[in-house]
Amino acid sequence: MQKTSCALVVSRSNKTILSIKKMLAPAGISVEQANTEGEVFSLLENQKFSCILIESGLSETPCNKFIRALRMVIGADYVPIIILATIEDEAQLSYCISAGCDDILFKPFTALALNSRLSSFEKTRELKQLYKASLKEQIVAKRIMTNAMNERCLKFKEIELLNRSKEIFSGDLFLTARHPDGSLNIMMADFTGHGLPSTIGSLPVADVFSTMTEKGFELGYILENINNKLHTLLPTSMFMACSVVNISNDLKHAKVWNGGMPDIYVRGGETGNIQCKLQSSSVPLGITETVSNQYDMQDIELTPGDQFILFTDGLTESLNKDGDMFGEHRLEECLRTNRQKKSVFNALISTFDEFRGDVVAMDDVTLACIPCSDELMHENNIDAGKSMHIACSEDNRWHWYMELGGSSLHEINPVQNVIEEVHRLSGQSLSTDKLSDIMSMLYHNVIQHSDPADASQLASIHRARENGDESNNVFIRIGIKRIYHNGIPALLVHMEDSGKQFTQDALLSSLDHQENKTTDSHDNEYPLVFELNKLTRNKNSGNRLEAIIFEHDNLVNYYG
Amino acid sequence: MSVNQEVSKDGKKVYINISGRFDYKVSQAFRDSYRRIPGQECVSYYVDLSDAVYMDSSALGMLLLLREHAKCRGGSVFIERPSKQIDNILKVANFEQLFTINYTCPITSYAGESAGAEH
């Protein structure tokens, strides 16, 4: 325990306070006293405590509600809450634990009992700090990885892609590269396992795939090179299943190869029927040395408009609450019932999410619907700036992040990109209009209000670029996180810019202005509810805004 | 899920039975089932998957490790009686190119010849 640490004791009994002071003094822990809930919250605004000890029966509101409120105020900081209870309180204690209380001490207790509890919490604190540091490292590494992968992969509006990773890093990989003859090479791959070890092999694979495609090598030869590389790099227990497709420039032919992946589906553009399924014909890559004919491609004829549906086994092997697998039969049933639709992407995601419910995913899930359309052959690379998503399977939570700076800020309006990414990650549970309105409003707010001295942040960005001032580190960061706010599924939208912070008054006034404007402009179409939380506002700096969008209620809470 | 192992009297046959989910959670037990036995030269390993209900890519990786372990010591690996679901997973990975898979072999067990072990 650090000498400077201070415990907050919530009690009206001077005897209790004195006793705890005596118990904690040898450990160098000072004690601050609060008699009421109001005093607790007011102390928490200005001071950090190493732990909070609450004598049961003190609070005006039920103890579990008080603890829940405390947890909201404390936020992500690690502050153990211990209830000092009598045996009569036993029935209420389980509610307190589920509300966020960490431990219970029955009175009377000894100095040894209290100090032992606090020492144990210190160990937890150290572990949490280590975990946080490790998580930060992973996020930085993920960012580097995402940037590196973006450089090696073309992006197409036409290709609909869902990529949910079980952990920060995904073992699934989706790559596209243009062959000099105009055809398009597409690869979906799945490394053994998930997480960081599974993602390590992605970079060399992406390197070989993009470089060799651009140089005009045939897919079979590219696969051979990737296999040899992985065979050298990966440990024996790891491999990479992958399916590759080469769509000809005239959209009439495709070459396909599948090594260890689920069937590749070809859906008829006109009929919506499953035209064919292309099975795995080889062991995955990285297991054996290349043998002759291992990478012979299968030729198939296409009609423009046909669609390829590629997915990893994380999709078909996902379980529902009864332990049933999603399976190919459910996927095919979904394709059959949505025959009339131009794209089945959203229907597949909805069916999958409905099937899975709240069950924690066991694996990364990737799904791509690729229409063989003219746009696919002529569309240029879409530069979406720096973006990444960090997805966690637990309760379908995910986190997506984008940073625009330099040229990408000048060229890209991020609102559309954000909407596309949100739909890619979550399916169609949010109305596009609603999300678009809220994003535009926040984006406008960040641009307009972050630097009152400058009417337009964009204008300053443009000026900096025109002047060749590359050192001007101007950026806008946008983060979206799927959360459960008070148990309700919601999106936390966070926008931040490099401008000067603006005052709380300016922020309040801007938000009030937005509130009136939004209410006026939408005529109750989206009943927006604004709640400015005092504590949250005080914590935040003035150059960022946050909004919580409830997925099903059309409610929005804004925080500045 | 569990991993059961039996070794023949002469120590040249190792029978490994996996029941339930064959995934990363049993990796240590699976590894122990063939590493912690004396005299590992020219051993035949029989992996019985008749009681396994699912296997993930980590489990395929575990089989590859066993294959390497056996190969380095002049031994061999046989996959026995995979259930339909398990067989589909093996087929997608084309593991019949790497392992001998017996579908109809009689139940192989060496109970009585030596003490079994459960992990």
Side-chain angles (χ1 to χ4, degrees), chain A residues 344-380:
Chain A
V344 287
F345 182 73
N346 294 329
L348 275 172
I349 294 173
S350 305
T351 309
F352 175 68
D353 284 342
E354 199 177 313
F355 168 80
R356 206 168 61 96
D358 290 333
V359 175
V360 173
M362 307 282 283
D363 200 357
D364 307 320
V365 176
T366 303
L367 164 73
C369 291
I370 305 146
C372 302
S373 62
D374 287 336
E375 289 83 359
L376 193 68
M377 288 302 149
H378 299 121
E379 197 164 353
N380 290 325

Side-chain angles (χ1 to χ4, degrees), chain A residues 49-315:
Chain A
F49 296 97
S50 57
C51 64
I52 301 175
L53 310 176
I54 302 171
E55 189 162 29
S56 65
L58 168 103
S59 60
E60 301 97 54
T61 49
C63 204
N64 57 329
K65 283 191 179 171
F66 176 46
I67 291 168
R68 201 163 275 139
L70 275 178
R71 280 281 166 236
M72 283 185 77
V73 172
I74 292 165
D77 294 344
Y78 180 65
V79 183
I81 298 175
I82 303 172
I83 300 282
L84 310 176
T86 60
I87 198 75
E88 291 81 34
D89 301 323
E90 206 170 34
Q92 298 296 319
L93 295 180
S94 64
Y95 296 112
C96 293
I97 293 284
S98 59
C101 154
D102 296 275
D103 207 347
I104 293 145
L105 266 177
F106 285 105
K107 296 184 283 189
F109 50 85
T110 61
L112 182 66
L114 178 60
N115 281 298
S116 304
R117 295 285 209 289
L118 296 185
S119 300
S120 153
F121 286 129
E122 274 312 297
K123 283 175 192 158
T124 311
R125 189 194 307 278
E126 282 165 22
L127 276 176
K128 278 183 179 277
Q129 277 167 352
L130 275 175
Y131 175 71
K132 262 188 182 176
S134 156
L135 213 60
K136 270 186 188 168
E137 281 177 12
Q138 286 190 52
I139 290 169
V140 173
K142 168 86 179 180
R143 190 168 158 186
I144 295 166
M145 191 75 161
T146 306
N147 290 341
M149 295 303 285
N150 282 345
E151 281 177 8
R152 291 160 175 81
C153 186
L154 301 177
K155 283 186 178 176
F156 296 91
K157 273 184 188 163
E158 293 293 307
I159 296 177
E160 295 173 295
L161 180 68
L162 173 83
N163 178 221
R164 289 180 187 162
S165 51
K166 180 174 160 55
E167 291 165 11
I168 288 177
F169 288 97
S170 172
D172 290 354
L173 182 62
F174 183 79
L175 297 169
T176 49
R178 180 81 69 196
H179 195 274
D181 67 7
S183 64
L184 187 67
N185 280 354
I186 297 161
M187 170 187 275
M188 185 176 283
D190 181 0
F191 280 89
T192 325
H194 42 77
L196 181 58
S198 301
T199 210
I200 289 288
S202 301
L203 267 182
V205 171
D207 259 340
V208 174
F209 183 77
S210 62
T211 311
M212 290 187 73
T213 300
E214 282 158 19
K215 285 183 178 172
F217 287 99
E218 293 301 313
L219 257 181
Y221 192 55
I222 296 172
L223 288 171
E224 191 179 324
N225 272 270
I226 291 173
N227 180 60
N228 292 342
K229 190 140 216 163
L230 291 178
H231 188 50
T232 315
L233 287 177
L234 297 180
T236 305
S237 60
M238 279 189 73
F239 52 81
M240 186 188 85
C242 87
S243 44
V244 287
V245 178
N246 169 269
I247 303 171
S248 69
N249 194 22
D250 59 7
L251 304 169
K252 288 181 179 169
H253 303 278
K255 290 173 185 167
V256 180
W257 184 87
N258 182 350
M261 289 282 280
D263 293 352
I264 298 170
Y265 282 69
V266 182
R267 179 177 183 257
E270 285 181 14
T271 62
N273 291 331
I274 300 166
Q275 305 270 71
C276 61
K277 296 194 285 182
L278 302 143
Q279 291 178 341
S280 161
S281 60
S282 166
V283 292
L285 303 183
I287 297 176
T288 56
E289 285 175 7
T290 302
V291 293
S292 61
N293 304 329
Q294 191 176 350
Y295 307 115
D296 284 352
M297 311 292 291
Q298 197 173 337
D299 286 307
I300 55 168
E301 289 192 5
L302 293 175
T303 307
D306 288 351
Q307 295 151 39
F308 280 96
I309 300 171
L310 275 64
F311 52 91
T312 54
D313 60 7
L315 184 89

Side-chain angles (χ1 to χ4, degrees), chain B residues 43-81:
Chain B
V43 173
S44 296
Y45 297 91
Y46 298 89
V47 183
D48 183 353
L49 296 178
S50 57
D51 297 326
V53 294
Y54 169 76
M55 73 191 293
D56 66 359
S57 59
S58 307
L60 295 171
M62 287 180 232
L63 290 175
L64 292 172
L65 275 175
L66 172 60
R67 176 174 170 265
E68 186 184 62
H69 175 88
K71 212 172 161 184
C72 293
R73 294 161 179 79
S76 48
V77 179
F78 302 90
I79 295 173
E80 294 192 293
R81 300 184 301 135

Side-chain angles (χ1 to χ4, degrees), chain B:
Chain B
M1 82 206 114
S2 67
V3 178
N4 290 292
Q5 171 244 55
E6 289 173 26
V7 185
S8 66
K9 269 183 185 169
D10 62 4
K12 293 300 171 195
K13 289 176 183 171
V14 175
Y15 171 82
I16 303 165
N17 173 274
I18 290 133
S19 58
R21 289 177 69 85
F22 186 14
D23 58 18
Y24 65 96
K25 287 178 186 162
V26 300
S27 59
Q28 190 58 47
F30 184 76
R31 214 174 323 206
D32 292 347
S33 71
Y34 61 85
R35 282 193 177 167
R36 290 187 179 175
I37 49 173
Q40 299 186 346
E41 298 303 310
C42 303
V43 173
S44 296
Y45 297 91
Y46 298 89
V47 183
D48 183 353
L49 296 178
S50 57
D51 297 326
V53 294
Y54 169 76
M55 73 191 293
D56 66 359
S57 59
S58 307
L60 295 171
M62 287 180 232
L63 290 175
L64 292 172
L65 275 175
L66 172 60
R67 176 174 170 265
E68 186 184 62
H69 175 88
K71 212 172 161 184
C72 293
R73 294 161 179 79
S76 48
V77 179
F78 302 90
I79 295 173
E80 294 192 293
R81 300 184 301 135
S83 62
K84 196 182 168 196
Q85 197 175 346
I86 296 287
D87 190 41
N88 281 340
I89 294 165
L90 292 169
K91 279 206 167 87
V92 167
N94 286 274
F95 264 35
E96 76 280 0
Q97 295 175 23
L98 307 173
F99 295 89
T100 305
I101 303 176
N102 297 322
Y103 292 96
T104 55
C105 59
I107 296 169
T108 318
S109 174
Y110 307 100
E113 291 187 27
S114 71
E118 184 169 338
H119 297 272

